[in-house]
Amino acid sequence: MAAFFRYAVLLVAFVAFLGGCSRTAYLTLAGWGLVPDDFRYGDLYRLSSLPQFKQEREACPPFAKNEPKLPVALYVIGDSFLEPGRVDSVDFVAKTYRYVHWENTSELKLDSNLRNILMLESVERHAREHFAQRAGNFVFRENFKPEKKQTGVWADVKTFFTGTHEKRQRLPEEQLENLLFNNVFWQKLKEWKAALTLNWFDRTNPKVALSTDEQHLFYVLDTDSTLVNSNFNRLPDAEVDSMVAHLNETAEFYRKQGFDEVWLSIIPNKTTVVEPNRGPYNRLIERVQRHPELRMPVIDAYGLLKPGGAGVYERGDSHWNCRGRALWLKAVNERLNATTPP
Amino acid sequence: MLFNSLQFLVFFVVVTLAYFSLPWRGRWVLLLLASCYFYVVFVPAYILILFATIVIDYFAGIWLEKTSGRSRKWLLIVSLISNVGILAFFKYLGFFTGNLVGLLDVLGATQAAETVNAYSLRVLDKVLVLFGQQPVASFSVVNTILPVGLSFHTFQAMSYTIEVYRGNQKAERHFGIYALYVMFYPQLVAGPIERPQNVLWQYHTYFKYDWENVKAGLVQMAWGFFKKVVIADRLALVVDAAYNHVPEQNGLTLLVATFFFTFQIYGDFSGYSDIAIGAARVMGFTLMENFHAPYEARSISEFWRRWHISLSTWFRDYLYIPLGGNRVGLGRQYVNQFVVFMVSGLWHGAKWTFVIWGALHGLYLVLARLRDRWLDRRGIKLPEDNRGYRALQVLFTFVLVMLTWVFFRANSTADAFTVLGRIGSLSWTEALKTPFNRAEMWFSIGLILAMLCKENRFFEIPTHRNAVFASVFGVLVMLCYFFGVFTSNQFIYFQF
């Protein structure tokens, strides 16, 4: 009996260890339904476990499913606000839609029968990084060298030996945590711990920050004025000029490659909309969007979301909710309609 | 792999259960492979350095045993030089280059200084690239890319060859067992620095599953985790906030931060040792104790018999005694003691702050011996049996040790002197700047008292009765979970 118990625990522990350390094993377990979605209550709740911010993320309806499609090809270099699953082709009136994340590259072949529009979308907290150089995430076919993406156990082994420290330590830690402790029982314990730490010691997970009235949850990246990502970090005029110059350079580059238009949209941080007076706001969005040298149309997400206040963001997430998303999609689709000849 | 990680907890369960499911022949292979994995999680290529020292010392041990006369001595020297050489290259190249460059600059040989710096950096970069690391632009960032625990396993390997040379240990013929002696994962990166006589025989032994050992080991591990994640990592929040921005702090804040650091480093390092010793004990291995209530010491020399025992005895046996020990004249003894502590400081890190830390301890010891001699000559007897006097001795020793920690923790010597200056001129009316609220401040002080109380009163938690074990273990695990600060703080001693 003892031996049976020992081998059973060994097997379970070994599978868990493998699931934590190997991406392939982790995804396999996820395929079997053994790995829950750790973002289901939002990225900020995932970090903080504060029960008052636990709210299942809304599943937003497709925005333009039944709309007639325009002869437009919409390309987006964007971040998590527009990642697949949050925003997809069914949300636009464009005939085709392609998305690439700021950290990746994607092959591009323009269809000259369509009106080609590129949108540069960035959340405010990463705008200074994204606009610090010319963007080149869409690469034309003749220049595109596809990365050989290996998958499987040997790819995991290779990543382990040649990858970064993050891949060997942080990623397995996150995977193990999700695999073993993302269930009702442990979630309850996590919530108790988070509530206890907040109520007794006035502390939260160091990656999140509470609003002054403790009603809203933010990324500490937004609120810590010593970080370059923060709304409250000093932003010199010279840096704004430089960001605008890089944006113009990107627009010029892609126009020369055949794009008809290049648009810009900066999504405000939750802090910017919900608690702008937390510190001296650097007004990054307005200063970029209203810069006299900026030579590209803007989808003014700040202007759209600001009146909605906290009501346009998810409670336990740093992203917008369906209302905020719809406001932005409406503006983009209206612009597509307005600029595309019938 | 960090002990305070989920990865380690699952790894430990897998390795321990597999260990008890295998015959002896499979056990050493399992432990060796597990130890390799434990190490490569940090930086895989650095395991080659470890292999190199293992191969050198393995053969050196065998040849030392076979050889006699002068060549024995030469063999030992070659083995020691290769060990110290690797340590010196990775850990001290930047430090010595920096100081040489500074000296040349002062002498006006700017061109020579630049050449030395550029040449050293080029050599280091070539080696780093060889190990798959990015080249560095200056020596100031080298500390972050050092092989983890280099000083620990180098010293453990050196103790083997020295003991074989002295005839106290037979050379190990089994290569796998010798490799395990250097690499045994619980003590691989931060000790205890073991002696071959204590542990080599254990790797040849088939330990039967022993529930008493499992219980005692698990409780010691849980207590180690408690000291690390509940106490040390909590205190680190205050310490780091103060010591990473010294110019912005007032005297009171720096005093509190220094007081907290005194217990942070104890909780951190003795916590690591407890986890290491406990993890080994679960499998049946006995590692040496590394701490014994050091802040209860009544003198600096007693402090060093209680703090990082495996290192202080290493320096005593392999440096102080070979330098002459207590057999030489008094003056020479004082010089030797001072030198040993300076070297001990340098062992901790290639920075002047560590050298000063070691030198201060050396100075304390020499001054204490001079005082004792002076008292003896005048026939003055101190009231050693008086409880009040003993309490004063403990307090005085504690304050002296605490002041040295300023150098150990400060990011630079300038910072350390600023800290001491501000503490020296503090006003009790100053506002304490801390990330803690009042409740957490008192909670932290309570934790420190609880730790001191436990360490002084119950050195080993009794686990013989299953109910006691279950309760103590359960409570410790729960406390670790609910009150632990999980910010992935690396153990302080990993950098050494």
Side-chain angles (χ1 to χ4, degrees):
Chain A
M1 186 63 191
F4 171 78
F5 181 70
R6 193 200 317 153
Y7 287 122
V9 176
L10 177 59
L11 182 71
V12 171
F14 185 70
V15 170
F17 186 69
L18 214 61
C21 298
S22 154
R23 190 73 188 154
T24 308
Y26 181 78
L27 293 175
T28 307
L29 292 173
W32 295 344
L34 294 174
V35 184
D37 172 15
D38 51 339
F39 285 93
R40 101 193 102 152
Y41 300 113
D43 52 6
L44 297 172
Y45 170 79
R46 175 179 173 266
L47 289 171
S48 71
S49 293
L50 286 168
Q52 59 269 44
F53 297 102
K54 186 178 187 178
Q55 194 177 69
E56 197 139 2
R57 268 169 41 193
E58 294 176 80
C60 303
F63 190 80
K65 195 176 179 183
N66 302 318
E67 302 278 321
K69 299 289 182 188
L70 298 171
V72 171
L74 179 63
Y75 294 84
V76 169
I77 300 174
D79 52 31
S80 58
F81 275 80
L82 300 190
E83 71 189 1
R86 280 186 204 273
V87 171
D88 288 298
S89 56
V90 286
D91 297 308
F92 297 103
V93 292
K95 189 174 178 186
T96 64
Y97 169 72
R98 285 272 303 279
Y99 164 90
V100 65
H101 193 275
W102 285 97
E103 286 173 8
N104 300 326
T105 51
S106 181
E107 186 191 8
L108 181 72
K109 187 171 184 292
L110 294 180
D111 183 345
S112 53
N113 297 319
L114 299 174
R115 187 170 169 75
N116 293 293
I117 297 174
L118 172 68
M119 169 135 56
L120 306 174
E121 176 274 319
S122 171
V123 67
E124 188 180 5
R125 81 179 65 88
H126 294 303
R128 287 166 85 167
E129 300 153 39
H130 292 153
F131 306 153
Q133 69 247 324
R134 175 173 74 75
N137 304 70
F138 279 117
V139 183
F140 286 87
R141 180 168 284 180
E142 54 274 22
N143 302 325
F144 187 68
K145 287 179 192 146
E147 284 174 36
K148 280 185 189 165
K149 276 208 170 172
Q150 290 177 321
T151 50
V153 177
W154 286 114
D156 291 345
V157 173
K158 197 178 164 195
T159 307
F160 180 86
F161 281 102
T162 57
T164 57
H165 183 257
E166 290 266 292
K167 296 263 184 206
R168 284 189 299 275
Q169 290 207 346
R170 195 185 55 78
L171 192 65
E173 206 63 11
E174 280 187 10
Q175 291 180 171
L176 273 173
E177 164 126 25
N178 196 29
L179 202 60
L180 299 174
F181 302 113
N182 191 2
N183 53 52
V184 178
F185 173 74
W186 283 106
Q187 204 55 51
K188 202 70 201 158
L189 288 188
K190 281 187 209 171
E191 287 181 2
W192 286 348
K193 178 185 163 66
L196 186 150
T197 309
L198 179 64
N199 295 333
W200 290 12
F201 306 137
D202 289 336
R203 282 195 292 110
T204 57
N205 179 299
K207 288 182 182 163
V208 302
L210 281 166
S211 62
T212 318
D213 62 3
E214 300 198 351
Q215 296 302 306
H216 307 284
L217 198 55
F218 309 125
Y219 264 127
V220 96
L221 284 177
D222 300 358
T223 58
D224 182 349
S225 61
T226 63
L227 303 174
V228 75
N229 313 74
S230 170
N231 324 13
F232 310 116
N233 184 273
R234 204 178 74 81
L235 177 63
D237 285 338
E239 191 178 342
V240 177
D241 295 344
S242 161
M243 286 160 70
V244 169
H246 288 127
L247 283 167
N248 287 337
E249 212 181 305
T250 304
E252 192 58 33
F253 171 76
Y254 280 108
R255 275 191 217 111
K256 274 188 184 160
Q257 303 294 328
F259 275 96
D260 298 290
E261 288 188 52
V262 180
W263 299 351
L264 170 70
S265 188
I266 307 174
I267 317 282
N269 291 340
K270 196 174 182 180
T271 329
T272 304
V273 171
V274 177
E275 197 173 31
N277 300 324
R278 193 184 174 104
Y281 177 38
N282 64 21
R283 316 195 83 79
L284 178 147
I285 301 180
E286 291 160 288
R287 286 164 73 188
V288 170
Q289 290 184 171
R290 292 181 188 165
H291 198 283
E293 297 296 319
L294 185 70
R295 292 192 296 275
M296 59 204 299
V298 167
I299 305 290
D300 182 13
Y302 179 58
L304 291 166
L305 299 178
K306 196 173 181 340
V312 293
Y313 285 89
E314 295 269 14
R315 185 152 175 72
D317 199 286
S318 63
H319 297 89
W320 51 30
N321 59 14
C322 293
R323 205 179 129 211
R325 173 182 175 271
L327 284 171
W328 186 83
L329 285 170
K330 184 167 175 270
V332 173
N333 284 318
E334 278 174 3
R335 176 67 68 91
L336 286 170
N337 274 311
T339 56
T340 309
Chain B
M1 190 183 300
L2 295 171
F3 274 169
N4 52 335
S5 66
L6 267 180
Q7 209 182 347
F8 172 73
L9 293 182
V10 184
F11 166 88
F12 172 72
V13 172
V14 171
V15 173
T16 307
L17 289 175
Y19 173 82
F20 283 119
S21 308
L22 290 169
W24 178 80
R25 211 175 285 258
R27 283 183 173 186
W28 72 259
V29 175
L30 170 82
L31 287 181
L32 192 56
L33 290 176
S35 301
C36 288
Y37 180 80
F38 183 87
Y39 192 77
V40 297
V41 167
F42 293 107
V43 178
Y46 283 152
I47 203 165
L48 298 174
I49 298 171
L50 210 52
F51 286 158
T53 56
I54 287 169
V55 170
I56 292 168
D57 294 329
Y58 171 74
F59 287 109
I62 292 171
W63 283 333
L64 271 170
E65 202 174 56
K66 284 181 181 169
T67 324
S68 57
R70 275 173 69 91
S71 46
R72 265 187 111 231
K73 200 166 197 170
W74 279 110
L75 260 173
L76 177 70
I77 289 170
V78 168
S79 158
L80 295 183
I81 286 178
S82 56
N83 281 292
V84 175
I86 290 170
L87 184 65
F89 178 80
F90 279 97
K91 197 162 176 175
Y92 302 108
L93 180 68
F95 178 69
F96 288 123
T97 304
N99 285 298
L100 183 60
V101 166
L103 185 69
L104 289 171
D105 264 338
V106 168
L107 296 174
T110 319
Q111 187 64 40
E114 278 173 17
T115 313
V116 167
N117 192 50
Y119 183 74
S120 295
L121 205 56
R122 210 164 59 222
V123 172
L124 179 72
D125 280 348
K126 280 200 189 305
V127 174
L128 288 177
V129 169
L130 203 67
F131 284 99
Q133 300 290 299
Q134 292 292 323
V136 291
S138 87
F139 283 110
S140 59
V141 292
V142 172
N143 271 342
T144 57
I145 48 166
L146 277 175
V148 176
L150 184 63
S151 308
F152 284 93
H153 55 72
T154 303
F155 268 38
Q156 179 146 328
M158 283 164 71
S159 77
Y160 168 76
T161 40
I162 296 171
E163 291 298 339
V164 172
Y165 174 79
R166 288 179 177 175
N168 297 331
Q169 172 67 43
K170 277 183 147 186
E172 177 58 58
R173 296 299 202 271
H174 192 303
F175 183 76
I177 294 293
Y178 176 70
L180 191 55
Y181 161 73
V182 180
M183 295 192 67
F184 186 45
Y185 83 81
Q187 37 105 226
L188 172 58
V189 289
I193 305 166
E194 278 292 354
R195 305 304 159 78
Q197 301 97 306
N198 295 347
V199 289
L200 259 173
W201 66 270
Q202 298 189 50
Y203 302 125
H204 284 283
T205 309
Y206 180 83
F207 292 113
K208 280 187 178 168
Y209 172 81
D210 180 350
W211 176 231
E212 292 306 319
N213 266 341
V214 171
K215 285 190 293 184
L218 287 178
V219 165
Q220 192 164 2
M221 285 177 82
W223 176 243
F225 277 114
F226 179 83
K227 284 197 279 187
K228 168 63 179 164
V229 299
V230 180
I231 303 178
D233 287 353
R234 166 169 275 103
L235 301 180
L237 297 175
V238 173
V239 176
D240 293 348
Y243 268 85
N244 291 341
H245 306 96
V246 166
E248 297 150 35
Q249 312 300 334
N250 59 41
L252 185 63
T253 305
L254 290 168
L255 178 66
V256 170
T258 306
F259 177 75
F260 276 7
F261 181 69
T262 306
F263 293 100
Q264 183 204 338
I265 191 158
Y266 176 64
D268 191 283
F269 192 23
S270 72
Y272 176 91
S273 296
D274 280 337
I275 299 168
I277 295 164
R281 189 165 177 181
V282 168
M283 292 185 282
F285 297 96
T286 308
L287 300 182
M288 70 184 290
E289 291 297 338
N290 220 5
F291 292 88
H292 199 110
Y295 294 138
E296 209 188 52
R298 288 161 56 199
S299 66
I300 295 294
S301 60
E302 190 187 349
F303 173 80
W304 280 102
R305 289 194 295 275
R306 291 165 171 268
W307 178 275
H308 202 175
I309 300 164
S310 64
L311 180 73
S312 50
T313 51
W314 196 100
F315 275 115
R316 182 197 63 200
D317 295 345
Y318 303 130
L319 189 58
Y320 182 67
I321 292 174
L323 282 172
N326 292 341
R327 292 160 294 158
V328 291
L330 270 180
R332 176 87 185 277
Q333 279 183 40
Y334 298 153
V335 171
N336 287 349
Q337 206 154 30
F338 190 72
V339 167
V340 167
F341 273 90
M342 290 250 289
V343 175
S344 162
L346 201 57
W347 176 89
H348 283 83
K351 278 166 78 176
W352 281 108
T353 47
F354 290 116
V355 178
I356 296 172
W357 171 79
L360 277 175
H361 275 280
L363 188 68
Y364 287 165
L365 281 165
V366 170
L367 289 177
R369 289 184 69 178
L370 287 170
R371 180 206 56 193
D372 290 346
R373 219 169 115 77
W374 185 83
L375 290 172
D376 276 352
R377 275 187 182 165
R378 277 155 187 78
I380 303 170
K381 288 260 180 267
L382 294 170
E384 300 282 349
D385 297 330
N386 183 297
R387 288 179 77 176
Y389 178 72
R390 275 157 53 182
L392 265 178
Q393 281 183 307
V394 171
L395 185 68
F396 185 61
T397 306
F398 177 81
V399 171
L400 287 180
V401 171
M402 190 173 103
L403 289 178
T404 64
W405 288 131
V406 170
F407 287 94
F408 198 94
R409 174 60 184 83
N411 296 328
S412 64
T413 39
D415 268 7
F417 285 115
T418 308
V419 171
L420 289 175
R422 297 214 176 146
I423 289 176
S425 60
L426 76 87
S427 151
W428 295 103
T429 55
E430 286 169 344
L432 186 62
K433 282 163 68 182
T434 148
F436 284 0
N437 65 10
R438 192 180 286 257
E440 192 155 21
M441 197 52 108
W442 285 113
F443 183 66
S444 303
I445 291 168
L447 287 171
I448 290 170
L449 290 174
M451 175 169 70
L452 287 177
C453 199
K454 186 270 166 193
E455 303 278 88
N456 294 350
R457 298 279 165 203
F458 311 99
F459 184 64
E460 192 158 336
I461 300 171
T463 54
H464 195 64
R465 288 170 58 193
N466 286 345
V468 174
F469 159 72
S471 317
V472 172
F473 186 70
V475 166
L476 281 174
V477 169
M478 243 171 54
L479 289 174
C480 283
Y481 181 73
F482 282 108
F483 294 102
V485 176
F486 299 103
T487 43
S488 294
N489 271 347
Q490 193 162 306
F491 287 86
I492 296 171
Y493 267 71
F494 271 30
Q495 60 183 300
F496 309 140

